[in-house]
Amino acid sequence: MSHHQGKIAPQFFVTAPQPCPYLDGRSERKLFTTLRNPDASAVNDFLSLRGFRRSQGVVYRPSCAGCNACLSTRIPVEGFQPGRTLRRVRARNADLTRNAAEAQATEDQYDLFRRYLDRRHADGGMAEMDAFEFAAMIEETPVRTRVVEYRRAPNREIGERGPDVLVGACLTDVLADGLSMVYSFFDPDEDRRSLGTWMILDHLEIARAAGLPYVYLGYWVPGSPKMNYKARFTPFEVYQGETWRRVEAPERVSADGPAMPSDPIADQVARLMNG
């Protein structure tokens, strides 16, 4: 991966089709490239603006023939005002403390991660991840990444002792124009807190304090129950038709929107890099 005449010029690849994890009866494939120093941060910033998502040393976006249901999503920080439901979530979590640390995996994090997967995603693609794979997910990053932890005081009434209890964590990339929430997990016994929603709200505050204009949430799939929570943060923006579009009424966005082009991958990449 290199710069050529002042431009970023990564080499792209495409995965083989496999069953879609979000919409029954569909298949998925991904367009991806690797991140390598010294261009990693520049490439990650450039491609995040074009709907890509980082996973360890790779950035990817869906490139599914005949389908464009996965929409890269971001929330503009300026002007965002939480509604009544989101304000209640914020109030319920006012007792939590936040700590943003270097991207180093801990036993505390892995224990929480395992409980989260076992209760929420036991049949998902990450269900069999062991401690070494978890550490790789957290630590194998060629860009500026933090682990943002959320803790509560121990509940003495039920006999909890020791330091504050980890209830949520988010692996977060710091981009040139915002924060990208790469992966978050939380205590499945703390349903009342709506911790996934809370972490998004708090990342909006972190971005606001840092003067960053966006919080990137990854992909939203209209009609997929797994993704419904992202639609609470209106107005948000989706990357569609090679541009960012504002969404104020999520219920009007269909998973059967304009399909991905069926052009050869080389032609798609050419448009991507020249856009």
Side-chain angles (χ1 to χ4, degrees), residues 109-120:
Q109 292 167 9
Y110 180 66
D111 288 344
L112 179 62
F113 173 75
R114 278 271 34 116
R115 288 195 290 118
Y116 170 76
L117 286 185
D118 292 344
R119 290 275 293 277
R120 293 295 188 100

Side-chain angles (χ1 to χ4, degrees), residues 151-154 161-165:
R151 294 180 179 271
R152 64 166 174 78
R161 296 289 185 269
D164 287 354
V165 179

Side-chain angles (χ1 to χ4, degrees), residues 177-199:
D177 71 336
L179 302 176
S180 177
M181 299 179 70
V182 176
Y183 191 79
S184 60
F185 51 98
F186 50 85
D187 189 338
D189 293 325
E190 296 271 5
D191 283 342
R192 178 181 167 276
R193 289 183 179 272
S194 301
L195 286 163
T197 297
W198 160 247
M199 285 189 279

Side-chain angles (χ1 to χ4, degrees), residues 37-49:
N37 289 325
D39 293 334
S41 292
V43 171
N44 195 38
D45 288 341
F46 177 84
L47 293 178
S48 293
L49 285 172

